[in-house]
Amino acid sequence: AALTSNSSAMSRIAWITSGLAAVLLVYNLRNAVWLSQVAKPARSAPRPVQTFRPASNSVPAARGPVGRSRAQTADAAVGGAPHFRPTVPSVCAPRSRGRAVPVRPRPLNYVASRGCGPPSDGVGLCDALSQAGVGPGSAVLLLVAAEGDEAALARFVQLARGGGVSGHLLVAALDAEAAAAARALSPAPDVWDASSELDPGLPPPARKWALAALLLSRGVSVLHVSVEVALLGDPFLALSHDADVEAASESSLGLAGWLGGSAGERGTMRVANDAIMGWSQMAESYQIPPLTPHFWFAAATRESLALVRRVATRLQGSLFGAGGMVAGGMVWPASAAEGFVFTEEAIAPAHDGITRAGASLRVLESRCFGRGGEVADRIPAGGAGAAALSDVLSARAFYSRPQVLSAGCGATPLAPPEEASSEDAGLAWTKHEDLPAPRPLNWLQVASVAWPPEAECDRLGLTNLCRKLAQVARRTPHGGEVLAAVSNKNLIGTGGALDLFTRGLASANLSHALVVALDAPTSAWLASRGFPYYEKQLVSRSGSTDNHATSGLKFKVLLDFLSVGCSVLLSDIDVIWLSDPFHNRLYRDSDVEGMSDGWDELTAYGHHAGGGAFRIHARNSGMFFLQATHESHAMLTRLARRMETEMTWDQSAWNQEQFHPSHGAVAAVGVSSRVMNYFCFQNSKLFFRFLREDDQLLHGFTPSSLHINYHPEKQPRMRDVYNFYHGQKVKGSKVDLTGIWKWNGGEGSALGSECKGVDTRAMPDASDARVRQLLGGAGKLDWGGCT
């Protein structure tokens, strides 16, 4: 038996050794192919697999986007026609059409070029562009080179010419040595003496972003490639040109990319097990690997320019120095921060006084732009060390505490200082300089048209809804806005969840609200209480009427509102409203503004997750504000279809459509997003685990709403929260475990031994007069928190 065991072990070792040998053989063959490419003489024609026809007699540039924006602004130019017209599909064309409901990507907002005058001394950007014949609507491949890059520069230019790069190759020389080396090449690329354009003290990682911003501001699209990259094909013809920014992913630069790609390039859902929470212990979050700062394309759009300027500003700010910089809740080495900052600005939502450029993003496929890629290889990898998956569960970065205690929940241009850490949660908020202006919204409703639009309401068969909105909705320049909740008959009844919800709205003086009734009994119950409602009878895909099944119907319901130009604040029924959110609580600068399942600064707004990755906790699909824009409508259309055809949780789908960028065959809608302040629009984990233990916050601050989303005892917890803030103002006792204190921070009651002695299935003893009085009353009863 021992001999048999040893033989089996030896066989396994031999099999593993053979496998490693095969991997090494393939790796060496790839290296040999790459070295042969380096040694080849430059070729004058593009690769046979790819051909192009210039749109004019000018030097060709990258293809333009699909069209112009529907919301042109003063600094947005008219959309351009394609400069490239490929006659055959790109080698990087998606291999499949994908499963997502097709949507038209958001049209791009081109910047209006400032133009350039005639050449003068031959050293400035305008002189370099003029001499090269590059004007607005063109694209350049930007190389930034300094002394010491001479050999890499020569190798790059040789490979680029051999790969048939069709756009302008512009070398931004940071010193005289690099400029001389570039001009000595044959054929020489276009050379820009860029040292005069930059502050001498600018940190190295910020230089290429500052130079790219100068090009973008003149209407020139930029493909930035580091000199270490090996170009094996024409990258301009391999781009999709349907997003403001296209970038390679760090996940494609390692072994996964070399073996054919990483499933995480577009981002993945991550789950951390917070066992204390019981019923809701699986903490859902979304994570994306860092975008590489060594290979990215920025179309000459308003949003690209804003994003690139913001990255440059952060990399040269007071938080960046020789020792590193503060970003994502940690101190970074100077060499590793750049990729995370780029990723955060492209992916993270706006929050508080922090705005985002709203640039749409496409992640390039690893088979073309990664290790062993068909178009670009040898892209430098970066990033920092990995972090454990559940480390974030210890996050307690309550940076919003001083702000809400002093100023409440009003929308503010202020935000926590970037150098804040969990030990500095008491720092006062400040106004951040050089933030990008939010992307202009593409409204569905023309501001000058009367609202609700009677003809459109009739055409869509939504006359009843429009009549109700005319009575209830709050008027805005682009239509109206209203708070809407969706309910069925399971939640009606005195003392039930819907009763507590509507009483909370009344106590908060929130009048611009209605309930969408999914059945006739719900409509009748609401009518008997004089509460505004709109009936739309729907049944879930499974036919179930439980909470999760009903929740998935909301997207189809809300399409009606957006279609007639009404922005809508969706609220689940298990929410207690404490103030009117329409009065200076919403920022209204994004397509989507939503509540987070996060409980502090890092989990709600995003943070570093190891290896340079960006991670953010799920945005709750039971509370969000959707503006009546083309992008919001497109996202709801896709979500409604997914709920009808897929067995997926509505919250997962909701997050996927906002978080995932375009990749391969799947085009993202391109909504701009903002996360609501986690103290002001609270989830029940934050309240029962943390806030109620902070006496100042509990008694000196009132949030806008509290969502009982983390706990299964929804109705009794709702009642205790309602009585704490509204109603009888029952503060309860932490010692006696009454009111809000009878509940655990996680699942279940804190009453413990008392509950164990109660048979919750039996009728209470009616020999007590007080019990008889309760039993004789109307409404539902429970066992005081025992379940």
PDB file of all heavy atoms in Angstrom, residues 151-167:
ATOM      1  N   ALA A 151      17.037  54.330 -25.664  1.00  0.00           N
ATOM      2  CA  ALA A 151      16.965  52.980 -26.240  1.00  0.00           C
ATOM      3  C   ALA A 151      15.523  52.499 -26.344  1.00  0.00           C
ATOM      4  O   ALA A 151      15.102  51.941 -27.370  1.00  0.00           O
ATOM      5  CB  ALA A 151      17.799  52.008 -25.400  1.00  0.00           C
ATOM      6  N   ALA A 152      14.749  52.705 -25.293  1.00  0.00           N
ATOM      7  CA  ALA A 152      13.346  52.286 -25.303  1.00  0.00           C
ATOM      8  C   ALA A 152      12.565  53.052 -26.363  1.00  0.00           C
ATOM      9  O   ALA A 152      11.688  52.492 -27.036  1.00  0.00           O
ATOM     10  CB  ALA A 152      12.726  52.490 -23.927  1.00  0.00           C
ATOM     11  N   LEU A 153      12.886  54.338 -26.531  1.00  0.00           N
ATOM     12  CA  LEU A 153      12.205  55.158 -27.524  1.00  0.00           C
ATOM     13  C   LEU A 153      12.482  54.641 -28.931  1.00  0.00           C
ATOM     14  O   LEU A 153      11.569  54.520 -29.755  1.00  0.00           O
ATOM     15  CB  LEU A 153      12.653  56.608 -27.383  1.00  0.00           C
ATOM     16  CG  LEU A 153      12.034  57.619 -28.355  1.00  0.00           C
ATOM     17  CD1 LEU A 153      10.525  57.667 -28.175  1.00  0.00           C
ATOM     18  CD2 LEU A 153      12.644  59.000 -28.128  1.00  0.00           C
ATOM     19  N   ALA A 154      13.729  54.315 -29.198  1.00  0.00           N
ATOM     20  CA  ALA A 154      14.082  53.806 -30.528  1.00  0.00           C
ATOM     21  C   ALA A 154      13.381  52.479 -30.808  1.00  0.00           C
ATOM     22  O   ALA A 154      12.864  52.257 -31.915  1.00  0.00           O
ATOM     23  CB  ALA A 154      15.604  53.629 -30.621  1.00  0.00           C
ATOM     24  N   ARG A 155      13.343  51.598 -29.816  1.00  0.00           N
ATOM     25  CA  ARG A 155      12.672  50.312 -29.993  1.00  0.00           C
ATOM     26  C   ARG A 155      11.179  50.508 -30.211  1.00  0.00           C
ATOM     27  O   ARG A 155      10.570  49.862 -31.068  1.00  0.00           O
ATOM     28  CB  ARG A 155      12.927  49.432 -28.776  1.00  0.00           C
ATOM     29  CG  ARG A 155      12.332  48.028 -28.891  1.00  0.00           C
ATOM     30  CD  ARG A 155      12.767  47.133 -27.752  1.00  0.00           C
ATOM     31  NE  ARG A 155      12.310  47.621 -26.464  1.00  0.00           N
ATOM     32  CZ  ARG A 155      13.103  48.101 -25.503  1.00  0.00           C
ATOM     33  NH1 ARG A 155      14.420  48.157 -25.705  1.00  0.00           N
ATOM     34  NH2 ARG A 155      12.601  48.516 -24.364  1.00  0.00           N
ATOM     35  N   PHE A 156      10.562  51.421 -29.446  1.00  0.00           N
ATOM     36  CA  PHE A 156       9.126  51.668 -29.577  1.00  0.00           C
ATOM     37  C   PHE A 156       8.797  52.183 -30.973  1.00  0.00           C
ATOM     38  O   PHE A 156       7.867  51.687 -31.618  1.00  0.00           O
ATOM     39  CB  PHE A 156       8.672  52.682 -28.536  1.00  0.00           C
ATOM     40  CG  PHE A 156       7.197  52.972 -28.592  1.00  0.00           C
ATOM     41  CD1 PHE A 156       6.317  52.321 -27.743  1.00  0.00           C
ATOM     42  CD2 PHE A 156       6.658  53.871 -29.513  1.00  0.00           C
ATOM     43  CE1 PHE A 156       4.952  52.560 -27.799  1.00  0.00           C
ATOM     44  CE2 PHE A 156       5.300  54.117 -29.586  1.00  0.00           C
ATOM     45  CZ  PHE A 156       4.445  53.462 -28.715  1.00  0.00           C
ATOM     46  N   VAL A 157       9.526  53.180 -31.446  1.00  0.00           N
ATOM     47  CA  VAL A 157       9.231  53.770 -32.751  1.00  0.00           C
ATOM     48  C   VAL A 157       9.410  52.743 -33.861  1.00  0.00           C
ATOM     49  O   VAL A 157       8.597  52.663 -34.793  1.00  0.00           O
ATOM     50  CB  VAL A 157      10.119  55.005 -32.983  1.00  0.00           C
ATOM     51  CG1 VAL A 157       9.950  55.516 -34.412  1.00  0.00           C
ATOM     52  CG2 VAL A 157       9.758  56.104 -31.995  1.00  0.00           C
ATOM     53  N   GLN A 158      10.426  51.901 -33.755  1.00  0.00           N
ATOM     54  CA  GLN A 158      10.642  50.878 -34.764  1.00  0.00           C
ATOM     55  C   GLN A 158       9.485  49.890 -34.813  1.00  0.00           C
ATOM     56  O   GLN A 158       8.969  49.546 -35.882  1.00  0.00           O
ATOM     57  CB  GLN A 158      11.950  50.133 -34.478  1.00  0.00           C
ATOM     58  CG  GLN A 158      12.317  49.110 -35.545  1.00  0.00           C
ATOM     59  CD  GLN A 158      13.620  48.401 -35.245  1.00  0.00           C
ATOM     60  OE1 GLN A 158      14.115  48.454 -34.127  1.00  0.00           O
ATOM     61  NE2 GLN A 158      14.192  47.745 -36.246  1.00  0.00           N
ATOM     62  N   LEU A 159       9.036  49.444 -33.630  1.00  0.00           N
ATOM     63  CA  LEU A 159       7.912  48.516 -33.585  1.00  0.00           C
ATOM     64  C   LEU A 159       6.620  49.186 -34.051  1.00  0.00           C
ATOM     65  O   LEU A 159       5.791  48.567 -34.733  1.00  0.00           O
ATOM     66  CB  LEU A 159       7.733  47.988 -32.169  1.00  0.00           C
ATOM     67  CG  LEU A 159       8.587  46.786 -31.759  1.00  0.00           C
ATOM     68  CD1 LEU A 159       8.380  46.469 -30.295  1.00  0.00           C
ATOM     69  CD2 LEU A 159       8.247  45.579 -32.614  1.00  0.00           C
ATOM     70  N   ALA A 160       6.411  50.453 -33.681  1.00  0.00           N
ATOM     71  CA  ALA A 160       5.195  51.160 -34.069  1.00  0.00           C
ATOM     72  C   ALA A 160       5.106  51.292 -35.582  1.00  0.00           C
ATOM     73  O   ALA A 160       4.043  51.078 -36.175  1.00  0.00           O
ATOM     74  CB  ALA A 160       5.151  52.526 -33.405  1.00  0.00           C
ATOM     75  N   ARG A 161       6.213  51.640 -36.209  1.00  0.00           N
ATOM     76  CA  ARG A 161       6.207  51.747 -37.667  1.00  0.00           C
ATOM     77  C   ARG A 161       5.993  50.375 -38.305  1.00  0.00           C
ATOM     78  O   ARG A 161       5.271  50.233 -39.286  1.00  0.00           O
ATOM     79  CB  ARG A 161       7.530  52.341 -38.157  1.00  0.00           C
ATOM     80  CG  ARG A 161       7.802  53.768 -37.675  1.00  0.00           C
ATOM     81  CD  ARG A 161       6.694  54.726 -38.035  1.00  0.00           C
ATOM     82  NE  ARG A 161       7.050  56.110 -37.691  1.00  0.00           N
ATOM     83  CZ  ARG A 161       6.172  57.100 -37.608  1.00  0.00           C
ATOM     84  NH1 ARG A 161       4.894  56.860 -37.828  1.00  0.00           N
ATOM     85  NH2 ARG A 161       6.564  58.324 -37.294  1.00  0.00           N
ATOM     86  N   GLY A 162       6.602  49.360 -37.722  1.00  0.00           N
ATOM     87  CA  GLY A 162       6.418  48.020 -38.246  1.00  0.00           C
ATOM     88  C   GLY A 162       5.017  47.513 -38.065  1.00  0.00           C
ATOM     89  O   GLY A 162       4.512  46.719 -38.861  1.00  0.00           O
ATOM     90  N   GLY A 163       4.354  47.952 -37.006  1.00  0.00           N
ATOM     91  CA  GLY A 163       2.987  47.538 -36.754  1.00  0.00           C
ATOM     92  C   GLY A 163       1.960  48.319 -37.534  1.00  0.00           C
ATOM     93  O   GLY A 163       0.762  48.067 -37.416  1.00  0.00           O
ATOM     94  N   GLY A 164       2.403  49.293 -38.323  1.00  0.00           N
ATOM     95  CA  GLY A 164       1.475  50.037 -39.166  1.00  0.00           C
ATOM     96  C   GLY A 164       0.655  51.064 -38.422  1.00  0.00           C
ATOM     97  O   GLY A 164      -0.503  51.294 -38.775  1.00  0.00           O
ATOM     98  N   VAL A 165       1.216  51.713 -37.402  1.00  0.00           N
ATOM     99  CA  VAL A 165       0.476  52.742 -36.672  1.00  0.00           C
ATOM    100  C   VAL A 165       0.127  53.872 -37.625  1.00  0.00           C
ATOM    101  O   VAL A 165       1.005  54.463 -38.265  1.00  0.00           O
ATOM    102  CB  VAL A 165       1.301  53.260 -35.482  1.00  0.00           C
ATOM    103  CG1 VAL A 165       0.590  54.437 -34.817  1.00  0.00           C
ATOM    104  CG2 VAL A 165       1.494  52.139 -34.475  1.00  0.00           C
ATOM    105  N   SER A 166      -1.147  54.168 -37.730  1.00  0.00           N
ATOM    106  CA  SER A 166      -1.612  55.088 -38.760  1.00  0.00           C
ATOM    107  C   SER A 166      -1.749  56.529 -38.274  1.00  0.00           C
ATOM    108  O   SER A 166      -1.767  57.448 -39.079  1.00  0.00           O
ATOM    109  CB  SER A 166      -2.967  54.600 -39.287  1.00  0.00           C
ATOM    110  OG  SER A 166      -3.855  54.379 -38.203  1.00  0.00           O
ATOM    111  N   GLY A 167      -1.879  56.743 -36.974  1.00  0.00           N
ATOM    112  CA  GLY A 167      -2.031  58.100 -36.466  1.00  0.00           C
ATOM    113  C   GLY A 167      -0.689  58.773 -36.273  1.00  0.00           C
ATOM    114  O   GLY A 167       0.376  58.179 -36.450  1.00  0.00           O
TER     115      GLY A 167
END
